[in-house]
Amino acid sequence: MSQRVFFAGSREEAGHHAAPLTDRMHVALASPADILTAAKPGDLVVFYSEHFDRFRDACRKLRENNVATLYM
């Protein structure tokens, strides 16, 4: 199974945070809700903030589903 990297947030809010990664590798920018339905164990989800409930909630659910998370 292929591992994927997601970056949580819209292009407008997170694009500049994700740029160092997207310039070097394939990273899917997506909403936390979309990531929750797409991410599988072995994938990585990068977050730029834990301030918003939608990010904190997604991070918790992803960890419960054995999906790696990282705050950038």
Side-chain angles (χ1 to χ4, degrees):
M1 180 166 97
S2 177
Q3 296 174 328
R4 298 169 296 176
V5 178
F6 296 91
F7 202 104
S10 68
R11 186 160 306 282
E12 294 78 22
E13 70 181 338
H16 62 288
H17 296 291
L21 292 176
T22 59
D23 289 347
R24 292 170 177 79
M25 60 191 298
H26 178 72
V27 177
L29 274 164
S31 72
D34 289 342
I35 292 171
L36 285 172
T37 62
K40 305 290 183 226
D43 293 342
L44 171 67
V45 182
V46 181
F47 291 86
Y48 75 94
S49 173
E50 63 180 342
H51 176 77
F52 302 106
D53 288 339
R54 68 185 193 271
F55 293 142
R56 280 194 309 272
D57 293 343
C59 190
R60 180 182 47 76
K61 290 175 185 171
L62 288 163
R63 285 192 310 250
E64 289 171 0
N65 291 330
N66 297 312
V67 176
T69 60
L70 175 71
Y71 282 109
M72 183 175 197

